[in-house]
Amino acid sequence: MAAAVEYRGYRIVPMLRQQGGQYLTCAWIEKDFPEGRKRHELIRADTHASAEDAKAFAVHKARQVIDEQGDRLFG
């Protein structure tokens, strides 16, 4: 598990998931609410040759999803 990245009140945690010698784009998107922490698991079909590339792209994609959907991720 990689270090969490804070973005607009959300926490993005890149996750490594291997598939056929490559790494998938995966991350947890978390946010704390008065009733507790909520988590959305982001998984995309994009693959990457290195773990570092996968982590960087997962953060990029998670930011994009947060900008597009916001709290609707948890609905």
Side-chain angles (χ1 to χ4, degrees):
M1 184 179 339
V5 174
E6 297 292 325
Y7 181 71
R8 295 188 173 189
Y10 295 84
R11 196 169 21 266
I12 301 167
V13 183
M15 305 298 292
L16 291 178
R17 185 176 291 182
Q18 284 191 299
Q19 179 177 334
Q22 302 254 330
Y23 294 91
L24 287 172
T25 299
C26 299
W28 289 338
I29 301 172
E30 301 176 331
K31 187 174 181 183
D32 294 326
F33 291 90
E35 61 274 7
R37 180 175 294 169
K38 293 187 180 184
R39 176 185 289 164
H40 173 80
E41 187 173 12
L42 174 75
I43 302 173
R44 296 292 185 261
D46 307 288
T47 57
H48 310 274
S50 77
E52 290 307 311
D53 287 348
K55 289 178 201 176
F57 190 75
V59 170
H60 168 77
K61 195 60 164 175
R63 286 178 176 159
Q64 185 179 36
V65 169
I66 290 166
D67 289 342
E68 291 172 359
Q69 297 186 33
D71 289 351
R72 289 180 293 158
L73 282 168
F74 309 111

